[in-house]
Amino acid sequence: MQEVARMLPIFFRTVQHLSHTLNDLSLVIPVAPHRDVRTYVENVVRSVPFPVVLIPGGSLEKRYGAFNASKAALCTSGTAVMELMLAKLPCVVAYQAHFLTECFIHLRKKINFISLPNILLDSPIVPEILFRACTDKNLAAKLSEVIFNDEVRQLQVGSAERMLQVLYEPIKRQGNLFAEELGDSGLSSDVYSPSTIAALTVLYTDKHRRMVHRN
């Protein structure tokens, strides 16, 4: 709920900037299956000056139907970014936090990116607009680039196949990695959700890189 309350107003202002140049622009929001979140989103949507369609975020069919019907997406970091890339829908990652949280992250960070596709591919494939840079004007400029620049769009779309290969690599080359990692965590290894596969792939990639550096 905190993340929704923090980011949704910024996203709406971003879309309002874009609506000045895109007359037929409309927004689709997959809403998390949480009563308080849905109530908050429904209340905020009433005051925006452009068309908004709310769909249940828990419905795989409707979520991917929205992806297929869309030109671009705006999202916070998380497994949603993985879904968008694998659905070949170009996107922009946005994230804003309290100033002290931002300082702590900068001090403690060991990676150059926050979105899973960029971490796994070790490249800024998906634009990330973060922290104090995460303003509606900056997001609108970057999202406009993602919508209209074919080269930028193709970079993300073309990276989907590479992403699939990266996700498959730990299973192919070290099949017992997932069982080992899940065994340490106490989680069930019977079913691997997309988020579990992505997280364990990050672990595998990090371990592999450290082994290469040691050698």
Side-chain angles (χ1 to χ4, degrees), residues 9-188:
I10 299 173
F11 284 4
F12 279 154
R13 292 197 299 271
T14 299
V15 175
Q16 191 163 1
H17 278 294
L18 288 174
S19 67
H20 297 152
T21 54
L22 293 170
N23 296 327
D24 57 348
L25 181 145
S26 60
L27 184 64
V28 179
I29 304 176
V31 182
H34 186 286
R35 185 179 61 185
D36 292 343
V37 170
R38 181 167 186 85
T39 300
Y40 173 82
V41 174
E42 288 174 343
N43 288 335
V44 174
V45 160
R46 293 192 183 102
S47 62
V48 299
F50 44 80
V52 179
V53 177
L54 303 182
I55 63 170
S59 168
L60 200 65
E61 181 182 359
K62 291 185 178 181
R63 195 164 71 243
Y64 279 87
F67 293 167
N68 290 332
S70 298
K71 183 77 171 178
L74 187 58
C75 64
T76 57
S77 181
T79 53
V81 192
M82 298 288 289
E83 282 193 287
L84 291 168
M85 171 163 275
L86 295 176
K88 299 185 178 181
L89 177 62
C91 67
V92 174
V93 170
Y95 194 76
Q96 196 177 76
H98 189 278
F99 174 72
L100 293 177
T101 304
E102 178 184 350
C103 291
F104 179 77
I105 291 172
H106 282 306
L107 287 172
R108 301 286 295 179
K109 75 174 183 179
K110 297 181 180 179
I111 52 178
N112 297 319
F113 312 107
I114 70 164
S115 63
L116 287 171
N118 291 349
I119 293 170
L120 293 174
L121 297 177
D122 197 23
S123 181
I125 303 297
V126 179
E128 297 180 353
I129 310 297
L130 310 174
F131 306 125
R132 281 171 287 180
C134 184
T135 65
D136 47 291
K137 289 184 179 180
N138 288 344
L139 287 174
K142 186 57 67 175
L143 196 56
S144 180
E145 185 179 323
V146 167
I147 292 171
F148 294 111
N149 189 317
D150 288 338
E151 186 176 336
V152 171
R153 294 181 60 80
Q154 189 54 44
L155 177 64
Q156 291 195 45
V157 172
S159 297
E161 290 300 325
R162 287 174 56 203
M163 178 59 58
L164 283 171
Q165 288 298 318
V166 170
L167 290 173
Y168 175 64
E169 194 67 16
I171 304 171
K172 183 179 71 174
R173 300 184 68 177
Q174 193 172 338
N176 65 342
L177 170 78
F178 285 7
E180 291 175 359
E181 295 292 350
L182 286 174
D184 292 340
S185 67
L187 298 172
S188 170

